[in-house]
Amino acid sequence: MRSSSYTARRGELETYFDRTAAEAWKRLTSDAPLNGIRATVRAGRTEMRDTLLSWLPQDLRGARLLDAGCGTGALAVEAARRGASVVAVDISPTLVALAEERSAGRHGAGSVRFLVGDMLDPALGRFDHVVAMDSLIHYRAEDMAEAVAQLAARADGSVVFTFAPRTPLLSAMHAAGRLFPRGNRAPAIEPVSHARLSGLLTKHRLGRSHRVARGFYISQGLEVRAA
């Protein structure tokens, strides 16, 4: 079951990533040269993606993996090259189309099926592993924890995901963002402390955690192990 706040925020994110920010994300996730803030964000995302992938088995042959919020598909492709059968889902048709275009012929021993939709859709089935990189950071802590719980209920191995840790810098950025006119705002991230999130996930076995801080990119990975 999805809360009304989850559904409302999902609609905002779909509009933002599919229309407002599509070109910016296309460039950010490409090999095109970047300067300043965007360069640090790209470097941070690369480090976090490598971290989450390192928490999965190196040999993923025979494994089914959900890339929940796949964006332009970089993580899905890497998992497929390690042998996984990947279902990569995102709410943005524009980003999914770009992911399909970029991934053509690069799946290696595995496969990727790109879909437009909700990462919490139970019709996607069961998986050995679920990865949700930077796709839950815009949701309230309660909605994030509920989403993780729903994903964990369909994972036989692990769920690895990221959240925005509550730090002085992120809190200041969050506050500053509210000063912009509503029409010019990107959907705000929702900083949450590790302790707060852990308290919301007491029914789950938490594993590894790692924070990446590269300039304006600050994100923390967390592993939930299957019971």
Side-chain angles (χ1 to χ4, degrees):
M1 180 181 296
R2 299 162 183 78
S3 69
S4 59
S5 56
Y6 173 90
T7 301
R9 178 47 66 97
R10 181 187 179 280
E12 295 173 4
L13 294 171
E14 180 178 2
T15 299
Y16 177 72
F17 286 107
D18 197 49
R19 303 174 194 172
T20 309
E23 282 302 315
W25 275 93
K26 180 177 181 179
R27 182 174 178 82
L28 179 69
T29 58
S30 71
D31 295 326
L34 293 174
N35 295 316
I37 292 173
R38 287 184 174 85
T40 67
V41 172
R42 178 189 283 173
R45 284 178 54 81
T46 298
E47 182 180 345
M48 179 56 78
R49 182 171 63 249
D50 291 345
T51 296
L52 297 185
L53 284 167
S54 76
W55 292 352
L56 303 177
Q58 182 60 36
D59 186 351
L60 287 169
R61 287 176 295 181
R64 193 165 189 258
L65 183 142
L66 175 65
D67 186 355
C70 65
T72 55
L75 189 148
V77 168
E78 183 57 34
R81 294 177 70 178
R82 287 160 58 172
S85 174
V86 182
V87 175
V89 62
D90 200 278
I91 57 176
S92 167
T94 299
L95 295 185
V96 168
L98 181 59
E100 288 184 309
E101 177 185 328
R102 287 182 175 177
S103 69
R106 299 177 56 220
H107 300 164
S111 64
V112 182
R113 180 163 64 105
F114 287 103
L115 299 172
V116 177
D118 191 326
M119 60 187 167
L120 301 185
D121 186 351
L124 296 172
R126 294 197 63 81
F127 298 88
D128 295 288
H129 301 282
V130 175
V131 182
M133 177 178 154
D134 293 349
S135 53
L136 296 173
I137 61 175
H138 299 282
Y139 294 96
R140 296 186 315 133
E142 294 81 3
D143 290 336
M144 181 191 304
E146 177 57 31
V148 171
Q150 291 187 38
L151 293 171
R154 293 167 25 222
D156 297 320
S158 66
V159 175
V160 295
F161 68 100
T162 61
F163 64 95
R166 184 173 292 282
T167 67
L169 176 58
L170 269 182
S171 296
M173 291 167 60
H174 185 267
R178 296 185 180 278
L179 299 177
F180 289 96
R182 182 171 296 275
N184 294 335
R185 296 180 197 168
I189 60 172
E190 296 287 344
V192 59
S193 70
H194 188 282
R196 166 73 168 144
L197 190 55
S198 297
L200 292 168
L201 293 171
T202 53
K203 295 181 179 180
H204 301 274
R205 290 198 305 141
L206 302 185
R208 290 165 284 192
S209 184
H210 177 72
R211 182 175 297 181
V212 172
R214 293 284 194 101
F216 274 71
Y217 182 87
I218 303 173
S219 186
Q220 187 154 342
L222 184 60
E223 176 186 44
V224 172
R225 297 170 179 164

